[in-house]
Amino acid sequence: MSALTEIYVDNVTRHLPEDARPDIAAEITATIDDMVDARLGEGTDPTPDRTAAIEREVLEELGDPAVLSREYSNSPQHFIGPNSYPLFVWALRWVLPLVGLLAVLTNVVTTIALSPEAQIGEIIGKTAGNTVIALLTAFAAITIIIGLGDRGMDGGAAEAMRKRQSGTWTVDDLDRRDSHGKQIRAEAGLGLVFIVAFAMAPFIPTSLFYVGHLNGGETFINPDLGFGWLLGYWGFLALLAAVEIVKFTTASARPIVVLIGGIADVAMAVFLTVALLTQPVLHPELTNTPNADVQQIITVIAVWAIVIWDQVSTWRTYRREHHS
Amino acid sequence: MDEDTDKALATHEQELRRGTVVFASLVACRRPQYGYSLLTTLTEAGVPTEANTLYPLLRRLEKQGLLTAVWNTEQARPRKYYTLTDSGAEVAAALHSHWLELDSSITQLWKDGTP
């Protein structure tokens, strides 16, 4: 065996299991010698140069030793293979939202608990930063665990997904849940979150938004606003919340529910318009500027913009459900 | 054929050949074969195979119990001879049946589709 062949064989076998190396090395060496002999032909006395040239030719035909080594090792050349990929996607789809939600809740609660005078910007900043880190960590952990499982168990990390593999799949495995219903339920849930936030608005102190210095940390709402206006405001919100709860529990947007929701929406916008245009609804010290009237009008425009957007969105949901 | 068609043909030929090489190796190893002799046997039979594909394949077939390997050190150059095992012979026979069925099916399909 020439030095060149020896180096080539060493390159092939160096990353293979130690117990298999001598056998593979002997076989490749014999093959290379056979191939060289076959090309040199019988009955001739080859020159060393010709032998060396043919040897090079044979080695180049065998190709990159790293590739040959990979063929021998027969180990997966990927981190997450096709068998584990469905499990990987499933884990990301379920674990990441859960981690994100937990990270947001934990950070909001701990920031408020540890900093009694926490500003909203501080809460958002800390929560966003820590949530991103939590999501990246979860992503890395899922990837590493499933990747190692894919290796250690020869693709067996997907054992749990076996029922999803062809051959064992039956029509009973079909996901029969109504995707429209899920979407309506998700939108209703989000709507409820916004309604609760709006309901709490009259109690939110300005200090939470870095403008506490303007009115000594009081609320955004005029403290002299008649309680009847607040009752009306909460009454409308309660009606809207009831509509969203019906949508959430039935997972559908029935015409009567959509109609009640639409009417309540517009009625509340009228109520807020009257309230904003007939008295100072916002705290006087926040609107104690020459442009106070303009601010009220901008607020009214914003209210109607939200209502119109909500009406269009509700109508689209209704049409989608009744055309599917 | 344009360049894209050539590429597509090369890909499909490779897919077709991949399974064929396994079957052809099992058939050829009904007689003891060492690596290089198998390589030339397959090439002469019209199933050209690259050495860097064949040797790892033989090892895998040996691990699967379809081939058995014995080193022959009586010759000037030690050689590893591969022979079909009983289970290898069963697999080869089954593959042969499938092959004939496929051949018949494809021939029929071709006839049916010919205008």
Side-chain angles (χ1 to χ4, degrees), chain A residues 66 77 93 111 127 143 146 183 202 213 274 278 286 310 313 315-316:
Chain A
Q77 303 297 311
R93 198 173 285 166
T111 308
T127 303
T143 307
I146 295 180
Q183 190 167 348
H213 60 281
V274 172
T278 56
L286 297 177
D310 193 36
S313 166
W315 176 243
R316 286 175 65 185

Short mmCIF file of all heavy atoms in Angstrom, two decimals, chain A residues 66 77 93 111 127 143 146 183 202 213 274 278 286 310 313 315-316:
data_model
loop_
_atom_site.label_atom_id
_atom_site.label_comp_id
_atom_site.label_asym_id
_atom_site.label_seq_id
_atom_site.Cartn_x
_atom_site.Cartn_y
_atom_site.Cartn_z
N ALA A 66 -14.35 12.01 3.09
CA ALA A 66 -15.36 12.38 4.10
C ALA A 66 -16.73 11.85 3.68
O ALA A 66 -17.52 11.40 4.53
CB ALA A 66 -15.40 13.90 4.26
N GLN A 77 -27.38 12.59 8.70
CA GLN A 77 -26.63 13.81 8.39
C GLN A 77 -27.53 15.04 8.55
O GLN A 77 -27.46 15.99 7.79
CB GLN A 77 -26.09 13.73 6.95
CG GLN A 77 -25.23 12.53 6.67
CD GLN A 77 -23.96 12.53 7.50
OE1 GLN A 77 -23.26 13.54 7.56
NE2 GLN A 77 -23.68 11.43 8.16
N ARG A 93 -45.46 24.50 18.37
CA ARG A 93 -46.80 25.10 18.29
C ARG A 93 -47.46 25.15 19.66
O ARG A 93 -48.24 26.05 19.94
CB ARG A 93 -47.63 24.27 17.32
CG ARG A 93 -48.84 24.99 16.81
CD ARG A 93 -49.52 24.19 15.74
NE ARG A 93 -48.81 24.23 14.48
CZ ARG A 93 -49.05 23.41 13.47
NH1 ARG A 93 -49.93 22.47 13.59
NH2 ARG A 93 -48.39 23.53 12.34
N THR A 111 -42.71 42.45 38.17
CA THR A 111 -42.28 43.85 38.03
C THR A 111 -43.15 44.75 38.90
O THR A 111 -42.65 45.63 39.60
CB THR A 111 -42.36 44.30 36.55
OG1 THR A 111 -41.66 43.37 35.75
CG2 THR A 111 -41.76 45.68 36.37
N THR A 127 -40.88 43.02 30.38
CA THR A 127 -41.66 41.84 29.95
C THR A 127 -41.25 41.41 28.55
O THR A 127 -41.01 40.22 28.31
CB THR A 127 -43.17 42.16 29.99
OG1 THR A 127 -43.49 42.58 31.31
CG2 THR A 127 -44.00 40.96 29.61
N THR A 143 -35.38 22.19 20.37
CA THR A 143 -34.57 21.75 19.23
C THR A 143 -33.51 20.75 19.66
O THR A 143 -33.33 19.70 19.04
CB THR A 143 -33.90 22.97 18.57
OG1 THR A 143 -34.91 23.94 18.28
CG2 THR A 143 -33.20 22.59 17.28
N ILE A 146 -35.14 17.29 20.95
CA ILE A 146 -35.67 16.45 19.86
C ILE A 146 -34.54 16.03 18.91
O ILE A 146 -34.53 14.90 18.42
CB ILE A 146 -36.81 17.18 19.12
CG1 ILE A 146 -37.97 17.36 20.08
CG2 ILE A 146 -37.25 16.40 17.88
CD1 ILE A 146 -39.18 18.05 19.53
N GLN A 183 -61.60 30.36 15.52
CA GLN A 183 -61.22 31.75 15.28
C GLN A 183 -62.19 32.70 15.98
O GLN A 183 -61.77 33.69 16.59
CB GLN A 183 -61.21 32.01 13.77
CG GLN A 183 -60.59 33.36 13.46
CD GLN A 183 -60.28 33.49 11.99
OE1 GLN A 183 -60.33 32.52 11.24
NE2 GLN A 183 -59.94 34.69 11.58
N PRO A 202 -60.97 54.03 33.81
CA PRO A 202 -61.21 55.16 34.72
C PRO A 202 -60.37 55.12 35.99
O PRO A 202 -60.24 56.13 36.70
CB PRO A 202 -62.71 55.03 35.07
CG PRO A 202 -63.29 54.24 33.95
CD PRO A 202 -62.22 53.31 33.52
N HIS A 213 -46.79 63.59 36.52
CA HIS A 213 -46.46 64.96 36.98
C HIS A 213 -47.51 65.97 36.54
O HIS A 213 -47.61 67.06 37.10
CB HIS A 213 -45.08 65.36 36.44
CG HIS A 213 -45.02 65.36 34.95
ND1 HIS A 213 -44.88 64.19 34.23
CD2 HIS A 213 -45.08 66.36 34.05
CE1 HIS A 213 -44.85 64.48 32.93
NE2 HIS A 213 -44.98 65.79 32.80
N VAL A 274 -71.44 62.06 23.00
CA VAL A 274 -72.21 63.04 23.78
C VAL A 274 -71.43 63.42 25.04
O VAL A 274 -71.28 64.60 25.38
CB VAL A 274 -73.60 62.45 24.16
CG1 VAL A 274 -74.34 63.38 25.12
CG2 VAL A 274 -74.44 62.24 22.90
N THR A 278 -69.98 67.32 25.63
CA THR A 278 -70.80 68.16 26.52
C THR A 278 -70.09 68.51 27.83
O THR A 278 -70.60 69.33 28.59
CB THR A 278 -72.12 67.45 26.86
OG1 THR A 278 -71.83 66.17 27.42
CG2 THR A 278 -72.99 67.29 25.62
N LEU A 286 -54.99 67.59 32.55
CA LEU A 286 -54.37 67.01 31.36
C LEU A 286 -54.79 67.79 30.12
O LEU A 286 -54.10 67.77 29.10
CB LEU A 286 -54.80 65.54 31.19
CG LEU A 286 -54.39 64.56 32.28
CD1 LEU A 286 -54.96 63.17 31.98
CD2 LEU A 286 -52.87 64.47 32.38
N ASP A 310 -64.49 47.97 14.09
CA ASP A 310 -65.10 46.82 14.77
C ASP A 310 -66.31 46.31 13.98
O ASP A 310 -66.51 45.10 13.85
CB ASP A 310 -65.52 47.25 16.19
CG ASP A 310 -65.87 46.05 17.04
OD1 ASP A 310 -65.20 45.01 16.87
OD2 ASP A 310 -66.80 46.13 17.84
N SER A 313 -65.05 44.47 10.93
CA SER A 313 -64.45 43.20 11.34
C SER A 313 -65.54 42.18 11.70
O SER A 313 -65.48 41.02 11.30
CB SER A 313 -63.53 43.46 12.54
OG SER A 313 -63.19 42.28 13.16
N TRP A 315 -68.67 42.17 10.67
CA TRP A 315 -69.40 41.81 9.45
C TRP A 315 -68.63 40.77 8.63
O TRP A 315 -69.20 39.82 8.11
CB TRP A 315 -69.63 43.09 8.63
CG TRP A 315 -70.28 42.84 7.30
CD1 TRP A 315 -69.76 43.07 6.06
CD2 TRP A 315 -71.58 42.28 7.07
NE1 TRP A 315 -70.64 42.70 5.09
CE2 TRP A 315 -71.78 42.20 5.67
CE3 TRP A 315 -72.60 41.82 7.91
CZ2 TRP A 315 -72.94 41.69 5.10
CZ3 TRP A 315 -73.75 41.32 7.33
CH2 TRP A 315 -73.92 41.25 5.95
N ARG A 316 -67.32 40.94 8.56
CA ARG A 316 -66.49 39.98 7.80
C ARG A 316 -66.54 38.60 8.46
O ARG A 316 -66.63 37.58 7.79
CB ARG A 316 -65.04 40.49 7.71
CG ARG A 316 -64.91 41.65 6.73
CD ARG A 316 -63.53 42.21 6.72
NE ARG A 316 -62.55 41.27 6.21
CZ ARG A 316 -61.25 41.49 6.19
NH1 ARG A 316 -60.77 42.63 6.65
NH2 ARG A 316 -60.44 40.61 5.70
#
